[in-house]
Amino acid sequence: MRWLALIGLILVLCVSAAPYPISIIASYSSAPFSAAVADMNNDGGNDVITVAKNGGENTIYFFENKPTTGYGQSWEEYEVAVVGHDYYLYAADLDGANYLDIVHSGGGGYLNGGLGDSWTLFSINTDITIKETVDISRDGYDDVIYEESNTGGWYENSGDGSNWTAHAGTFAHTPITSLEVEGDHDWDVLTFIDNFGAPDHFYVAENVDGFGGSWNEYEINIINDDINASRGVAVLDADGNSTADICVAVVAATAGDVLTLSIDAGVSTTTVDEGTAYSTVLSGDFDGDDSNEIVAYDFAAKTAYMFDNLMTSPLKTELRADFIPFCAGDVNDDGADDVIGYSIADGALAYAFRNAAPSAFNLLSPPDGETVNEPVMLDWEDAEDVQQVTYDLWYSTDPTFATYYAVTGLIDSAYTYPDGTLTAGATYYWKVAATDGYEETWSGPDEYWSFTVHDPTSGIDVKSFSAESVRDGVEVSWECTDEIAGFNLYRSTGAGKGETVTFRDKLNAELITGESPYEYLDEVVEEGTTYAYRLEAIDVSGSSETFGPVECTWNGVLPITYALYQSRPNPATGAATIAFDLREGAEVTLTVYDISGRKVTTLVDETLVVGTHERVVSGLVPGVYVYKLEAGEFKAARKMVIVE
């Protein structure tokens, strides 16, 4: 019966792997119209803005990427404005306030006050369609490229986001996006002409003087067939020479649906894929290999695909089914671009990301060969370098694992056996694999540990065994009412996660005797060190059993008051350390504000134990900041200075 219960548990814990896992940002009953990704509040993490339905009204939302539990894991939603239209969104610093503002395709946008809930409406020209934001004039402020009646121009930003100078009729054809093709570090513009039945053509508008005052528009070769229609465009550097390459999904007159790459803006072309009508094309480094890939969306199959090895033999893999991509950017801070889009199956704005293969890891406890009491908990290291990882636990009474039982899809790097699963007195062998949906990394292909379940009906029965940090050291205590000759107490270090267990030191010179309960004070300890204690019980016949381990980290001499210390160094460049004392466990918040009182970041928002704690703040622009500590009823604040 116990194995039937375990099989039921396996079915509950098991999770299915997806080609690219997704992380949900917010739920929506219908797909948003568009989205953009950028660090809107200058805190080091990329945020997301989107246009989505709210009660039937199109509304712009700002999702702040909170770093509390790691970027990409927690989002705070702000409603920017009800716009009532389907707009494409762009992020740009229009007023030099160090916060990115929102520009929409309808000819206006909202200046960012920096708090997420403070936005100021501005308008450029509601009769135009904005296609891109980029600093054409090279004055440090983003300008806008626009379309108007199949031609286009650009509006020059005076520097405050509210005064604009029109440069009408700059482009003879419809602007699509900015790019850099001449190697001169000036922003040029990709344009397109739709001839309504006649062959269509792509052009580059070259920024001749580098400041947007003089332009030369010339046709480029995108595909050797005439183009009937263009559905999606992405600019990237596929060959690593810093000159723009262009990937375009087109309908060719003779070849049909083609995804093609124009190398160095028309110098040569290569076919990426044929026969599929893609409606969206995105570029980015999606696998963290420092080269660009392409994500394209097949609207008929409702599936997004990724294309790698663009310059040689393009490799097509499924990114995600039932997923509509909008934009690309690194939101989980892992060094690879993610794809922000709409998950049809989940009804949510989400991002798809490439998990790295999980790192190698070690088994931790119980130590190999240990006899342990029930309930038995197995513990192992976390597999690093991966955002979503699950573990499969194998265990068997046979060290060859010819037959074994599996608990799959574990999220935590620990597992406690349910009552009745294990047999008292039996020895079990166990090993663990981690998977991200692509690859597996065993804790060593043939490595396993064993443990024996203590049988309370035979031998020595130690009813309790614990270790506690006290002022003068670690106090170890236990209970045993059997007839005992004495005890030996052993100690090792490194029992915590990620550490190697050292050899065991015997603490007592002579057998520990007396009456239950027993106590032993380990005084030779170091602050912050984790110790693992094992108890050897010897009965009057001379036989013995070993119990444990129990772990304890000695906290040193604990604080007797609350305190908030001056950050160090002060002034600081780059990063500063903030320390504080807690005389008892408490709900703690540690928040950093700029000198105007605007919250910059929250360093702590959790329950902490008694002791001295430290947090590091980084990524701040030069200036004066105030950091505030709240712990229970204790409140304190100090200033710190960040310099260049």
Side-chain angles (χ1 to χ4, degrees), residues 461-478:
D461 187 13
V462 172
K463 296 184 180 299
S464 67
F465 182 33
S466 62
E468 180 182 7
S469 176
V470 297
R471 178 172 291 276
D472 297 324
V474 175
E475 185 176 85
V476 185
S477 58
W478 63 95

Side-chain angles (χ1 to χ4, degrees), residues 247-266:
C247 189
V248 184
V250 299
V251 180
T254 58
D257 297 309
V258 179
L259 184 66
T260 185
L261 180 68
S262 174
I263 303 166
D264 294 345

Side-chain angles (χ1 to χ4, degrees), residues 575-587:
T577 300
I578 300 172
F580 55 92
D581 287 343
L582 302 179
R583 72 179 185 189
E584 58 188 0
E587 290 282 345

Side-chain angles (χ1 to χ4, degrees), residues 583-640:
R583 72 179 185 189
E584 58 188 0
E587 290 282 345
V588 178
T589 58
L590 178 61
T591 310
V592 179
Y593 300 86
D594 65 19
I595 197 61
S596 68
R598 293 182 295 189
K599 182 173 72 174
V600 177
T601 185
T602 298
L603 300 178
V604 179
D605 185 9
E606 59 182 311
T607 299
L608 298 180
V609 299
V610 59
T612 299
H613 301 267
E614 291 185 348
R615 293 295 187 271
V616 176
V617 59
S618 60
L620 301 179
V621 299
V624 178
Y625 296 86
V626 175
Y627 55 96
K628 296 181 180 180
L629 175 71
E630 295 186 14
E633 297 182 356
F634 176 77
K635 297 181 180 180
R638 285 180 176 268
K639 289 183 179 180
M640 65 178 175

